[in-house]
Amino acid sequence: MGIAAWRWLRRSRRIQRRRLRSGVLSGVERFPHRDGTRLQSARQGVGPTYQRRYIVRISGSPLTAAQLIKRLCDDLNAASPVEVAVFDKTSGVLRRLDVGDEYVVHMPGPWDCPVRVVERTPLSFRFATLEGHMEAGEIEFRVGEAREGGLVFTIESWARSGDRLAELLYEKVGIAKEMQLHMWTHFCARVAELSGGHMVGEVEAHTERMDISGSRRGKRSIFRAVEVVCARCFALAARLRNRPLHPRGLVFDATLTLHGTSQSWGVPLLDGHTELPGKVRLSRAVGLPPVLPDVLGLALRWTQPQADTGPGASDRAGDQATAELLLATTGRSVLGRHLLRPMTKWSPAFYGSLLTYRVGDRRVLLGAVARRTHLGPADLETLARAVDERPLLLDLVVATEFGPWERFGELRLTGPAHSDDREPMRFNPARHPIQELHPAGLLQQVRGSTYASVQRVAHHGARPRPAPEHRPEKPSS
């Protein structure tokens, strides 16, 4: 395991992780019914379904695709990272791989992973998991000819966790996911060596995740209970004060300039190269006096390009065109990005999403870094005057839960500032989601209905405090 950890640390950052963005559910449902005992199909697993594809391109190999597959079938351990996975054939002829053969993959931990060969062609073979495996599904190994010459080796799987412990280690803790990533990317690199050629670039890992019908039934009652409690508590607070949190704020015109990152996320906001108009509301969470630190909020609304051209797209255009993102002052470290941080200045400051979003099988957080223009103290009058004189610039950033922050764009706020005391500007990211960014976690699941309850109470039961339009005078020079 020490060797495996060292190899993972050296290689994991070089692996190109991308979203697969193909139909996971349809892939599982189109599998033929497999005859035989002890088979553990994806329909029998727990948790979400994952479709994973590992790809390595090979150049300069003297072998054909069929010869490379045969060499691999003769000895699977020649490509496997034997410190974490050893293939032990328990049924069938040695140095051959035929339909019906069985293997046990010995791995560290409480699992030995039995599999059975269910398909074999001149260019591929496929395993199905058996009872006791940590996953439930199928995995295929295949070699093809590349268009530009050379070979392409691919490992593709369609699976769910085999039991609740495996789901915990994969979905929540993540150690099983990283071990699996190390295992199959190492396998791909070794296949390139066995071919007698060399890798072109790095191994690519493509993943897509989908909840299938019935996979979340056990969690629905918990979600519903938390949802009801949160909605009622915040609705009661809304009867006492029109806005329980962030009661007063200023609204600015905003421009999002997107330029993408060093990797492809499969998310228009993170991959795009464009300029988008929007609105930003800056506020203090509790409304404490400006001399005291308070959690500062940045609520962003913009118009996103339309990607849906299917039937009924025009009917959904109103909701789809608008996206919203709520940020608040947090820390930037691995732990701090999940904790609110009271501040006394609007800038410099870090505004984070606090809650995570799901992209494929990864969870990410979004943030905005206010550049080092000192705008203190954090009161609305100081903010309005400062942005009237000079635009406020923020760097838009993204990070995985444990990864570094990477810049993907710029947010530019311009004056004049407008108060929304008369007509409150309300936000609900659940009703206006960001394309291809899926809320992850319990709090994200209940946030939309909680916001909707508060806004209904505020609209019908509370009277907003009348106030003149906020246009502070510029100080005389």
Side-chain angles (χ1 to χ4, degrees):
M1 289 305 297
I3 296 173
W6 171 247
R7 288 179 174 172
W8 174 80
L9 287 171
R10 289 179 56 200
R11 297 175 178 174
S12 62
R13 290 187 180 276
R14 300 201 307 264
I15 297 169
Q16 300 181 44
R17 307 190 193 198
R18 299 177 179 175
R19 290 190 63 191
L20 190 61
R21 301 189 70 186
S22 63
V24 180
L25 182 57
S26 60
V28 171
E29 289 186 336
R30 69 169 177 262
F31 288 164
H33 176 72
R34 307 290 186 187
D35 294 324
T37 60
R38 300 188 296 119
L39 285 174
Q40 187 168 269
S41 71
R43 300 179 185 89
Q44 297 172 285
V46 299
T49 300
Y50 288 93
Q51 183 175 357
R52 310 176 187 92
R53 186 179 296 163
Y54 305 89
I55 303 171
V56 62
R57 291 170 175 80
I58 304 169
S59 176
S61 172
L63 303 180
T64 65
Q67 289 172 333
L68 181 55
I69 276 288
K70 183 179 183 305
R71 176 170 291 188
L72 184 59
C73 291
D74 289 344
D75 184 8
L76 292 172
N77 288 315
S80 178
V82 292
E83 70 272 10
V84 294
V86 176
F87 286 81
D88 181 17
K89 193 164 192 177
T90 58
S91 175
V93 180
L94 291 177
R95 301 191 67 81
R96 284 179 53 185
L97 188 147
D98 298 312
V99 173
D101 291 353
E102 293 186 4
Y103 293 80
V104 172
V105 185
H106 299 286
M107 301 183 68
W111 294 278
D112 278 338
C113 302
V115 295
R116 179 181 298 156
V117 181
V118 292
E119 287 184 11
R120 173 73 167 95
T121 74
L123 300 179
S124 68
F125 60 91
R126 180 179 289 201
F127 290 133
T129 60
L130 301 179
E131 292 177 358
H133 199 290
M134 66 183 302
E135 289 194 312
E138 300 188 4
I139 185 169
E140 181 178 84
F141 304 75
R142 60 181 181 267
V143 181
E145 304 284 347
R147 292 182 181 178
E148 61 277 9
L151 304 175
V152 178
F153 177 70
T154 303
I155 302 173
E156 186 163 12
S157 65
W158 303 261
R160 302 167 70 191
S161 296
D163 55 37
R164 292 296 179 190
L165 178 57
E167 183 191 20
L168 174 67
L169 293 178
Y170 190 96
E171 176 77 2
K172 301 297 190 296
V173 179
I175 186 173
K177 176 171 61 178
E178 294 302 320
M179 181 185 295
Q180 184 181 69
L181 179 76
H182 164 67
M183 175 179 176
W184 293 129
T185 54
H186 177 100
F187 199 102
C188 288
R190 285 289 296 136
V191 167
E193 294 178 15
L194 290 174
S195 73
H198 59 273
M199 288 197 307
V200 178
E202 298 291 341
V203 178
E204 297 178 13
H206 301 247
T207 307
E208 191 55 84
R209 174 192 189 277
M210 181 177 288
D211 292 309
I212 68 175
S213 178
S215 66
R216 300 181 65 87
R217 289 175 184 171
K219 300 178 181 179
R220 287 177 182 170
S221 59
I222 299 176
F223 285 163
R224 182 57 183 163
V226 175
E227 180 181 58
V228 169
V229 171
C230 291
R232 290 183 177 177
C233 290
F234 277 91
L236 176 61
R239 294 182 184 277
L240 303 176
R241 186 166 73 172
N242 188 25
R243 254 190 154 111
L245 295 174
H246 301 276
R248 296 188 61 223
L250 291 179
V251 179
F252 301 90
D253 290 328
T255 302
L256 290 80
T257 304
L258 307 178
H259 53 65
T261 67
S262 61
Q263 60 180 303
S264 174
W265 296 88
V267 177
L269 177 66
L270 305 180
D271 298 336
H273 292 72
T274 186
E275 192 171 279
L276 304 171
K279 294 284 186 181
V280 163
R281 183 181 190 266
L282 286 167
S283 57
R284 295 171 63 91
V286 183
L288 297 174
V291 294
L292 298 177
D294 201 344
V295 174
L296 308 180
L298 188 156
L300 172 61
R301 176 182 295 163
W302 72 96
T303 302
Q304 54 190 345
Q306 292 301 292
D308 187 356
T309 57
S314 59
D315 297 335
R316 299 188 296 270
D319 285 339
Q320 288 186 341
T322 300
E324 293 178 351
L325 175 64
L326 300 183
L327 305 175
T329 47
T330 67
R332 299 183 65 167
S333 66
V334 171
L335 176 61
R337 63 188 65 175
H338 296 284
L339 300 173
L340 293 171
R341 182 181 182 184
M343 299 289 291
T344 57
K345 296 181 179 180
W346 298 104
S347 174
F350 181 83
Y351 300 83
S353 60
L354 190 68
L355 305 179
T356 59
Y357 292 85
R358 180 169 45 80
V359 180
D361 68 335
R362 289 182 289 175
R363 294 193 178 199
V364 302
L365 296 99
L366 302 178
V369 184
R371 296 182 185 174
R372 291 191 173 277
T373 302
H374 289 274
L375 297 180
D379 62 79
L380 299 182
E381 288 73 19
T382 300
L383 176 65
R385 287 196 299 268
V387 178
D388 271 352
E389 295 172 358
R390 180 184 300 174
L392 177 60
L393 301 180
L394 302 97
D395 292 317
L396 297 172
V397 293
V398 60
T400 58
E401 284 188 290
F402 306 104
W405 293 97
E406 186 173 5
R407 186 172 180 266
F408 69 88
E410 178 186 271
L411 180 62
R412 182 185 181 90
L413 276 56
T414 55
H418 298 279
S419 170
D420 66 342
D421 285 346
R422 290 179 180 270
E423 297 181 5
M425 190 176 182
R426 306 280 185 182
F427 293 82
N428 190 340
R431 293 188 58 188
H432 301 104
I434 305 170
Q435 292 175 6
E436 302 298 336
L437 271 180
H438 307 286
L442 177 62
L443 294 179
Q444 283 273 42
Q445 299 296 324
V446 304
R447 181 165 69 168
S449 58
T450 300
Y451 282 17
S453 297
V454 171
Q455 290 166 11
R456 281 196 300 270
V457 171
H459 178 73
H460 294 293
R463 294 183 179 180
R465 176 168 55 96
E469 185 70 12
H470 189 95
R471 289 293 295 116
E473 296 180 359
K474 295 184 181 180
S476 58
S477 58

